[in-house]
């Protein structure tokens, strides 16, 4: 198993009450949700998708979020 990769996640709350997360290290990597639990699940998913786009087949990467 690969060592976890760590990414900084910036979280803001918009005017409508949604939490919006961005991963500055990965271009175009962002998501949103009504609550933080759902947001963090979506952040992990979108990071996986961004890494797959960048590397074509980066399945199974363990993630550590800061």
């Amino acid at each position: 198993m690969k060592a976890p990769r760590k990414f900084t996640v910036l979280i803001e709350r918009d005017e409508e009450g949604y939490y919006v997360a961005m991963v500055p290290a990965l271009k175009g990597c962002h998501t949103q949700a009504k609550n933080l639990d759902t947001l963090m699940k979506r952040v992990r998913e979108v990071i996986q998708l961004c890494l797959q786009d960048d590397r074509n087949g980066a399945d199974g990467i363990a993630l550590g979020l800061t």
Side-chain angles (χ1 to χ4, degrees), residues 23-59:
V23 182
L26 300 172
K27 183 178 178 183
C29 190
H30 58 275
T31 189
Q32 67 182 24
K34 281 259 187 196
N35 62 61
L36 288 173
D37 288 336
T38 302
L39 182 71
M40 294 315 294
K41 288 176 190 171
R42 290 181 180 175
V43 166
R44 286 181 175 86
E45 290 172 1
V46 77
I47 289 173
Q48 289 282 359
L49 291 171
C50 289
L51 290 173
Q52 285 176 6
D53 277 352
D54 284 348
R55 293 206 221 180
N56 190 19
D59 294 343

